[in-house]
Amino acid sequence: MRIKKIMASVLSVLLLGIGMSVPVSAAETTPAPNFGDVDILINDELGLIIETRTVAINGRPIENSAELETDYSQTTDNTRAIPEQETSRTFTHNIYDRNHTNIATVYSTVRGVYSQVDSWAQILDISAYATGSNAVVSQITFNTSKSGSDGYLYIYFGGASSGTMHYKIYTNGTISNL
């Protein structure tokens, strides 16, 4: 009986020691830098870096960014059943060369419809255009595909695939770049 008490005490001390060391070691680690809502895609073959940010939701700018895309009119909502709602989100995809010089910016708007009541969502449309110098912009082309709640924007530079943006709409109306 005495051996069981000793073993239980030793085990308790070990568990308590391990439990206390985890928060201490976590407190000593350096926190990762917070870049906000930014996604980075690197294409080593072409030497391109694509940085993605959300700039507008339903045509309304976020933070200090300017409105980049026309808001889709609310008249399209009138043709849908009451639980269905339409939403859109605009993203910027800054394209940098190997020297981290911004050579172009791609603006994409994803438009979709969702129903929280019926628990479904669907991407309706993906549109994109590029800005920058004419020499660079003339080399950028796009292709899109969509399947239910997922959509893809394929970005080509000089005919070569430079990146794929994967968008998803959720049943609460949130559109995100995965």
Side-chain angles (χ1 to χ4, degrees):
M1 184 70 162
R2 185 168 168 90
I3 294 177
K4 286 184 181 180
K5 284 185 179 181
I6 292 174
M7 292 301 285
S9 297
V10 169
L11 185 60
S12 296
V13 169
L14 284 174
L15 289 175
L16 187 59
I18 291 171
M20 293 177 97
S21 66
V22 171
V24 170
S25 64
E28 294 173 2
T29 59
T30 306
N34 182 4
F35 296 111
D37 191 17
V38 177
D39 294 313
I40 306 283
L41 176 70
I42 299 174
N43 184 320
D44 288 328
E45 291 177 26
L46 297 177
L48 297 176
I49 302 167
I50 302 175
E51 174 187 270
T52 302
R53 296 178 187 271
T54 301
V55 294
I57 298 176
N58 292 329
R60 289 187 291 285
I62 301 174
E63 299 172 3
N64 298 328
S65 45
E67 185 169 350
L68 301 168
E69 212 43 51
T70 305
D71 188 16
Y72 293 95
S73 72
Q74 295 297 323
T75 57
T76 56
D77 286 62
N78 295 338
T79 61
R80 302 201 179 277
I82 291 176
E84 297 175 5
Q85 296 181 5
E86 195 167 318
T87 186
S88 67
R89 190 164 194 170
T90 302
F91 299 91
T92 61
H93 308 286
N94 293 312
I95 302 176
Y96 300 93
D97 64 6
R98 292 177 200 261
N99 300 324
H100 208 321
T101 303
N102 188 327
I103 59 173
T105 301
V106 173
Y107 299 99
S108 65
T109 298
V110 180
R111 190 171 59 96
V113 65
Y114 67 98
S115 172
Q116 286 183 310
V117 174
D118 296 329
S119 189
W120 66 270
Q122 180 179 359
I123 290 181
L124 299 175
D125 183 49
I126 301 171
S127 60
Y129 66 93
T131 61
S133 71
N134 288 338
V136 173
V137 171
S138 64
Q139 296 183 51
I140 298 175
T141 57
F142 310 103
N143 194 4
T144 63
S145 69
K146 49 193 186 305
S147 175
S149 62
D150 292 299
Y152 300 90
L153 172 66
Y154 305 99
I155 302 173
Y156 299 93
F157 187 76
S161 177
S162 61
T164 300
M165 302 298 130
H166 179 194
Y167 305 113
K168 185 164 189 72
I169 184 171
Y170 298 92
T171 57
N172 66 358
T174 302
I175 298 173
S176 61
N177 179 45
L178 303 176

